[in-house]
Amino acid sequence: MSSGRTATWQGPTRPVLDLLSPGKLYTVTAWVRTASGTGTARLSMQRQNDTTTRYENVSADTAISTTWTRLTGDYLFLAGATALSVYLETTDTTGDLYLDDVTISTEGPPASASVSSSASRSPSVSASASRSVSPSVSPSASRSVSPSASVSPSASRSVSPSASRSPSASAGGGAACAVRYTTNDWGGGFVGDVTVTNTGAATVNGWTLRWTFAGDQRVNQAWGSTITQTGGAVSATNAAWNGTVTAGASVNFGFLAGYTGTNARPSAFTLNGTACALS
């Protein structure tokens, strides 16, 4: 719980650095509520690299009130952090704020932290495999960094495959396609969600989707694909487990990005060099 808040950025935290392994994609889930009134919440990872602190978005804004609300999202953990905490803030209220039942899971070997549940949702923290986590909950002293383009993009990031997914590796030719591109924007940063559908008759074996941002959007991290960016030009290449897209099937991936100004939608996409329809 975080009480006595005087600013929207003040919120509870949970340290989790010892539970995560670099290069793995995690799903972070938490239950949140306010003591009174209604607001919107943002769940992020408060990451410190030596003296630099930044906030990497996990879940986009979600309405919360006096009842518990579940927030969940993906987070790709990169090496180099000296401290890492799950962090909760609101955008439009300074009332008392509660964070509980924090869970971190991955497709790889178990790495999870959970907050013990009780009738009152006590914020004590316990970790799996006998690993303990300090249950500190205190408002942040200051927040000068927001989830934006200040996070340096990685040239190549891969997602660990699930055992139940079939890998594919060969590069495929052009195919008829349709792209659905949506964003969840909080101003200065956004989560992009992209679904590509193979509308042709042939199977695509290996894919690269390309588009160009109209503004200064900069991709910071991705899941479900490996993304590289030069200027406004972006290339998203399949992960090891989702390279095969049969006729009529779809593939989905996402990314976290920052920007200044406006977040205009890309106007065109190509899949393996072939223009796609927008859906």
Side-chain angles (χ1 to χ4, degrees):
M1 172 184 175
S2 180
S3 60
R5 302 169 66 230
T6 59
T8 59
W9 52 261
Q10 294 174 326
T13 62
R14 294 286 189 277
V16 295
L17 179 63
D18 61 334
L19 300 176
L20 278 66
S21 298
K24 286 188 177 180
L25 180 69
Y26 293 87
T27 297
V28 181
T29 302
W31 288 84
V32 304
R33 75 175 178 90
T34 54
S36 61
T38 299
T40 53
R42 183 182 303 150
L43 190 68
S44 61
M45 302 299 281
Q46 184 184 57
R47 177 189 175 100
Q48 184 169 341
N49 296 351
D50 296 323
T51 59
T52 301
T53 300
R54 57 192 180 191
Y55 295 80
E56 300 170 338
N57 188 70
V58 171
S59 181
D61 295 353
T62 302
I64 59 173
S65 62
T66 54
T67 59
W68 290 96
T69 299
R70 179 177 180 267
L71 298 183
T72 188
D74 291 326
Y75 177 70
L76 180 63
F77 178 54
L78 302 179
T82 55
L84 186 73
S85 297
V86 177
Y87 168 74
L88 179 67
E89 64 182 315
T90 59
T91 60
D92 50 12
T93 181
T94 56
D96 291 352
L97 186 60
Y98 297 85
L99 172 67
D100 202 1
D101 281 358
V102 178
T103 302
I104 300 176
S105 59
T106 181
E107 292 179 352
S112 63
S114 61
V115 180
S116 302
S117 298
S118 65
S120 62
R121 285 192 179 270
S122 169
S124 60
V125 182
S126 63
S128 62
S130 302
R131 290 176 291 183
S132 62
V133 180
S134 173
S136 60
V137 184
S138 60
S140 303
S142 65
R143 182 173 183 184
S144 59
V145 184
S146 60
S148 67
S150 61
V151 184
S152 300
S154 171
S156 176
R157 296 179 176 123
S158 60
V159 181
S160 300
S162 169
S164 61
R165 292 167 175 156
S166 300
S168 61
S170 59
C177 50
V179 172
R180 179 175 62 84
Y181 177 92
T182 60
T183 63
N184 204 320
D185 196 316
W186 61 84
F190 68 99
V191 174
D193 185 83
V194 183
T195 299
V196 184
T197 301
N198 179 2
T199 58
T203 296
V204 174
N205 291 306
W207 52 265
T208 296
L209 186 74
R210 290 186 171 89
W211 70 89
T212 300
F213 284 126
D216 65 350
Q217 296 95 327
R218 176 67 57 176
V219 175
N220 301 324
Q221 68 182 59
W223 46 93
S225 70
T226 297
I227 290 184
T228 58
Q229 182 173 356
T230 303
V234 181
S235 295
T237 302
N238 62 273
W241 46 267
N242 64 0
T244 297
V245 188
T246 58
S250 299
V251 63
N252 176 263
F253 64 91
F255 60 88
L256 174 67
Y259 70 95
T260 58
T262 59
N263 184 20
R265 288 171 56 96
S267 59
F269 296 84
T270 63
L271 181 67
N272 293 348
T274 299
C276 298
L278 299 180
S279 62

